Amino acid sequence: MKPLGSAALMLAALLALTGCSEVKSGFEQGKREGMIEVLGAAAIAEAAGIPVSGDLTCTVQPPTGGDDTPVSCTGRTTNGKVITLTGTITEAAEVTRSDWMRGDFTATVAGAELFRRNCIGAC
């Protein structure tokens, strides 16, 4: 078998790095989605004084630049009022902690603004 030339080695390294980068990005996006569903529901329930019925349904977009991750969530309170949570996640706790997220978040219940925060969870 013939040894790989330097160009082939560089291409192989680039492909490996690209693959790892995509996996890391996908993992980070999934982590942020799960965290915002749980932490967002808890923050809304606490601020509104009304529990969230089931889970929030959140869509976390790929980062727009750096670590800024747009997020949009919907759900309902136990008494049927529509909940929205929108914003941008800029930083999230390590997966072993998963107890806070920083960014710019706005929550509404039945169309009325409930809160604007720059951190959700144990900040």
Side-chain angles (χ1 to χ4, degrees), residues 5-21:
S6 62
L9 285 173
M10 287 175 53
L11 179 59
L14 179 62
L15 288 172
L17 287 174
T18 301
C20 288
S21 175

Side-chain angles (χ1 to χ4, degrees), residues 90-113:
T90 58
E91 185 181 9
E94 294 296 321
V95 80
T96 55
R97 290 190 49 201
S98 300
D99 62 349
W100 59 266
M101 303 187 89
R102 295 191 196 288
D104 177 31
F105 307 103
T106 303
T108 65
V109 174
E113 187 174 300

